[in-house]
Amino acid sequence: MLTALSIQNIVLIDRLALEFRPGLSVLTGETGAGKSILLDSLGLVSGARADSGLVRTGSSGGTVTAEFDIPSTHPVYAVLAEQGLDAGGGPILLRRQLTPDGRSRAFVNDQPVGVALLSRVGGLLVEIHGQQGQLGLLNPANHRALLDSFGGLTPQVSGMQAAYKIYRDLSAEAEAARARLAKARTDEDYLRHAAEELAALNPRPGEEEELADTRTAMMHGEQIAGELDDAMKSISGDKGAEPSLRVGMRRLERVADKASGRLDPIIEGLNRAFTEIEEASRALEAVARDLEFDPRVLEHTEERLFALRAAARKHNCTVEDLPAMREAMMAQIQALDTGEQGLVDLERRLREAEAEFATLAEGLSAARGEAAARLDAAVMAELPPLKLERAVFHTAVNRLPRDKWSAAGADDVQFEVATNPGSAMGPLSRIASGGELSRFALALKVVLAESDHPVTLIFDEIDQGVGGAVAAAVGARLARLSDRAQVLVVTHSPQVAARGGQHLRVGKIVEEGVTLTRVEILPPDERREEIARMLAGAQVTDEARAAATRLLEGVEA
C-alpha cells in the first residue's frame, strides 16, 4: 500500500507531505481545486510520461516521492532483485525529479534507474483509473493472465509452460540435428575420400620432425663421411697416431728394465692412451656405418615428408594436427552413419512432447472457457447497481492458429463489452468511455480482487454523471474492494465520500499573491461539514448537515 506521498513544486503545490492509511481514502474539493495534481503526481512517480508543464512556475524543478509498504511475496520484489535493487522485503521508495525543460530522473530506493524500469515497478504497485485512460487490467495484454488468476488456473499454466519448454528445446535440437545431417550428407563424398587418403597416409605424431632430421643428416652424409674417413686414417692409418704410438711403446718396453722403473709410469700412460684411441677408432667406424649415404633411403624419406606437408596444406592445418584431423573425420563419418537413427529417435521424442503440450494447452483452453463464463456472470452481476444494466460484458477466449501457440497456450483472451443493446461487442477500452470506463474497471476489480496481487487502486471521478442509489452502489463496491486493496478515489459524490476511512480535502489558498493548492486530512467534524457542502453546494444548511450525519451513520451501521 501507499504509505506516504511527498510533492514539491508540482503545478500549484509548493510543498506537501501526506500519509495514507489502509482501506478507502477519499479526496474531495471544489472543481479546479487541484485534485488532478495529486493524480498527475502519482502518475509521474509511477512512471508516466514527464511533462515540463508540471513544474511549478518559478521553481528550479519538481520532485515527487512515494513510499510503499507491501507483502514480501509481492512480485515487485522479484523485479527489483532481477535489477540488483533487492529491497530485502522492506519499504519501496519511488522518486521522480522533473526539470523545467521536461527532463526527468528516476530513483528506486534512492538508486538511479531508467524510466522504463520505474514504470515497470510502478505498474506493479499502482493502478490509476481515470477519465483520461486506464492502466493495468484494461490492457488487453494482461487479460489472459487475469483470467487464469481468476479461474485458479496457475498450476495448469505452469504445467503447460514446462511441457512447452520441453517441446521447444527438442524442436531446436531436432532442427540443429537435421541441419548437421544435411550438411554432412552434402560433404559425405569429400569426407569419405579425405578420410581414406589420411588413413592410407597414416600420419604419426612427431613424424615430421623425425623425417626432417633424418633428411638433413642424409643430405650432409657425403661431407661427413669424407671427414670421418680422413679422421680414421689420421688415427689408425699406416701413418696414423695408432701405429706410431704402438712403435713408440715397443721401443720403450725394450729398455724399461734398464731404466730402474722410471719409464713405467710413461708406459702405463701410453697404454691408456692407446686404449682410448682404439675405442675412438671403433666409434668412428660405427658412426661412418650409420651415416652411410643411400640415395634410395633419402628419396623415400623426402617423399614421405613432402606427402605429409602436402596433406597439411590441403586441410589447412599443421602436420602434427593430421592424426587428430583423421580421427575427427572418422567421427563425422560414424556420426553420419548413426545420425539418421539418432534423428529418428529425436523426432519421435519431439512428436511425443508436442502431443503432451497440445493436450495440456487444449485442457487449459477448456478450463479458460469455463472460467470465462464464471467471470462474465460475476461481472454482469456487478453492472446493474452501477447504472450499467444495459451493458454486456464478455470474456472472449479465441483459439489461435496452431503455429501461434506459445508458452501462454493456445488462446488469445480479451475483455469485450457492448454498452447498448444490439451494439457490437468490442474491446473494453474502446467501447466504454469516461465514467463508464471507470465503473467497468471497478466492477472488474471487485470480481478479480481475491486473485490479484495487492496494489494501490486510484479512481478518478468514478461517480461522474451518477447519483443517489448508483453513487451509493459505487461507494459500497469501493468499500468492498478496499478490504483487499488500498483504494484512493477522487469524488464529487457525498455517498462515496461517506464511505472513506480517510478523508482528504483539496483546496486553494492565496499567499502573498501566489495561488497554492493545499490538502487537509479532515477530522470527523470537518468531514461532516465537507459532505454537507457536497450535498448542498455553496450554502451549507442544517438540513445538509443532518443529511451528511445520516450518510455517515448509515455507513458506520
Side-chain angles (χ1 to χ4, degrees):
M1 60 167 278
L2 175 67
T3 58
L5 179 68
S6 171
I7 303 173
Q8 296 181 29
N9 295 324
I10 297 295
V11 193
L12 298 180
I13 297 176
D14 56 346
R15 185 177 298 273
L16 177 65
L18 295 174
E19 293 184 356
F20 293 90
R21 300 197 310 230
L24 176 62
S25 296
V26 297
L27 289 85
T28 64
E30 298 286 356
T31 300
K35 297 183 294 296
S36 62
I37 301 175
L38 293 176
L39 300 187
D40 290 341
S41 298
L42 279 166
L44 184 67
V45 80
S46 57
R49 182 177 178 181
D51 182 352
S52 61
L54 292 175
V55 178
R56 191 166 73 93
T57 302
S59 69
S60 59
T63 301
V64 182
T65 304
E67 183 176 320
F68 295 84
D69 186 10
I70 56 177
S72 60
T73 56
H74 197 285
V76 73
Y77 287 113
V79 174
L80 295 179
E82 174 189 313
Q83 300 294 325
L85 299 170
D86 191 357
I92 295 176
L93 200 68
L94 307 185
R95 178 176 291 114
R96 190 84 175 272
Q97 295 176 343
L98 185 62
T99 60
D101 60 3
R103 291 179 299 169
S104 73
R105 298 179 65 196
F107 301 83
V108 174
N109 289 347
D110 290 324
Q111 298 183 61
V113 299
V115 175
L117 177 58
L118 180 69
S119 178
R120 185 180 174 191
V121 171
L124 291 170
L125 299 175
V126 178
E127 283 187 12
I128 301 176
H129 303 276
Q131 302 300 308
Q132 303 302 319
Q134 310 289 324
L135 301 176
L137 80 162
L138 298 187
N139 183 349
N142 298 331
H143 293 175
R144 184 165 46 206
L146 289 169
L147 176 63
D148 291 341
S149 180
F150 170 80
L153 304 179
T154 302
Q156 282 183 256
V157 173
S158 298
M160 183 208 60
Q161 288 175 338
Y164 177 77
K165 183 179 186 304
I166 293 172
Y167 162 66
R168 183 191 60 191
D169 292 347
L170 284 173
S171 180
E173 187 178 347
E175 184 177 352
R178 293 187 201 103
R180 287 194 303 270
L181 192 59
K183 184 178 186 304
R185 284 173 178 157
T186 301
D187 299 337
E188 182 177 4
D189 290 342
Y190 165 77
L191 190 62
R192 291 188 183 276
H193 176 71
E196 288 172 1
E197 281 187 340
L198 285 180
L201 186 62
N202 192 25
R204 295 180 290 104
E207 188 177 8
E208 180 186 26
E209 184 178 357
E210 179 184 327
L211 290 171
D213 290 345
T214 300
R215 176 173 176 262
T216 300
M218 293 184 71
M219 289 178 66
H220 297 294
E222 286 184 291
Q223 179 184 354
I224 295 173
E227 295 295 336
L228 289 177
D229 185 60
D230 290 345
M232 285 189 290
K233 287 178 181 178
S234 298
I235 293 172
S236 59
D238 292 342
K239 296 181 180 180
E242 185 180 348
S244 298
L245 184 58
R246 194 184 305 276
V247 170
M249 285 179 60
R250 282 198 298 267
R251 288 178 177 175
L252 290 175
E253 287 172 347
R254 283 199 297 268
V255 297
D257 57 346
K258 296 182 176 75
S260 303
R262 284 181 290 178
L263 296 178
D264 293 347
I266 298 172
I267 293 171
E268 290 175 3
L270 290 174
N271 273 325
R272 291 194 299 272
F274 184 73
T275 301
E276 294 288 340
I277 289 173
E278 282 185 326
E279 291 178 358
S281 180
R282 286 194 294 271
L284 282 172
E285 289 174 355
V287 171
R289 287 194 301 272
D290 291 341
L291 293 178
E292 186 176 358
F293 177 73
D294 185 345
R296 289 174 299 178
V297 175
L298 176 60
E299 181 181 1
H300 174 74
T301 300
E302 289 182 334
E303 286 178 354
R304 176 69 178 170
L305 180 61
F306 296 158
L308 290 171
R309 289 177 174 173
R313 287 193 298 272
K314 179 177 180 179
H315 296 290
N316 194 28
C317 67
T318 65
V319 173
E320 192 67 19
D321 291 335
L322 287 176
M325 178 73 70
R326 177 191 173 190
E327 293 300 321
M329 288 181 176
M330 296 302 294
Q332 285 181 273
I333 292 171
Q334 184 178 5
L336 181 62
D337 293 338
T338 60
E340 186 71 39
Q341 184 57 47
L343 182 57
V344 169
D345 293 340
L346 184 58
E347 289 183 332
R348 174 185 54 77
R349 291 165 54 205
L350 176 60
R351 288 193 298 273
E352 292 173 353
E354 184 179 16
E356 175 67 12
F357 163 62
T359 298
L360 293 175
E362 288 168 356
L364 179 60
S365 291
R368 281 171 171 164
E370 295 172 1
R374 297 198 308 273
L375 177 61
D376 292 348
V379 173
M380 288 294 293
E382 294 291 331
L383 296 182
L386 297 175
K387 203 178 178 180
L388 294 169
E389 65 279 354
R390 297 166 64 85
V392 177
F393 176 85
H394 175 62
T395 304
V397 181
N398 301 313
R399 180 66 65 93
L400 296 168
R402 187 62 177 260
D403 61 346
K404 299 295 184 182
W405 291 16
S406 68
D411 312 296
D412 175 63
V413 177
Q414 185 164 321
F415 298 154
E416 296 179 340
V417 65
T419 54
N420 295 296
S423 299
M425 302 294 292
L428 177 59
S429 58
R430 282 198 303 150
I431 299 299
S433 61
E436 286 183 333
L437 186 55
S438 292
R439 278 178 276 145
F440 267 113
L442 175 59
L444 274 167
K445 267 301 174 186
V446 168
V447 172
L448 296 171
E450 291 187 2
S451 61
D452 206 2
H453 292 293
V455 295
T456 296
L457 301 171
I458 301 171
F459 293 91
D460 182 16
E461 298 187 6
I462 191 173
D463 48 15
Q464 184 185 50
V466 300
V470 176
V474 170
R477 278 151 182 78
L478 288 169
R480 281 170 52 195
L481 187 56
S482 69
D483 290 337
R484 302 182 183 94
Q486 183 186 39
V487 179
L488 277 65
V489 57
V490 174
T491 182
H492 290 288
S493 167
Q495 291 90 341
V496 173
R499 291 277 182 174
Q502 183 181 40
H503 193 144
L504 296 87
R505 181 172 62 197
V506 184
K508 289 181 180 178
I509 63 169
V510 178
E511 289 185 356
E512 298 179 358
V514 177
T515 302
L516 299 172
T517 291
R518 289 285 183 263
V519 180
E520 304 173 85
I521 298 177
L522 300 181
D525 288 346
E526 292 187 38
R527 184 182 179 199
R528 186 183 68 123
E529 193 72 11
E530 173 66 6
I531 293 175
R533 180 198 63 77
M534 297 171 72
L535 286 165
Q539 185 67 39
V540 179
T541 64
D542 290 339
E543 290 80 3
R545 292 186 180 94
T549 300
R550 288 193 297 273
L551 272 178
L552 290 168
E553 290 175 348
V555 169
E556 293 171 358

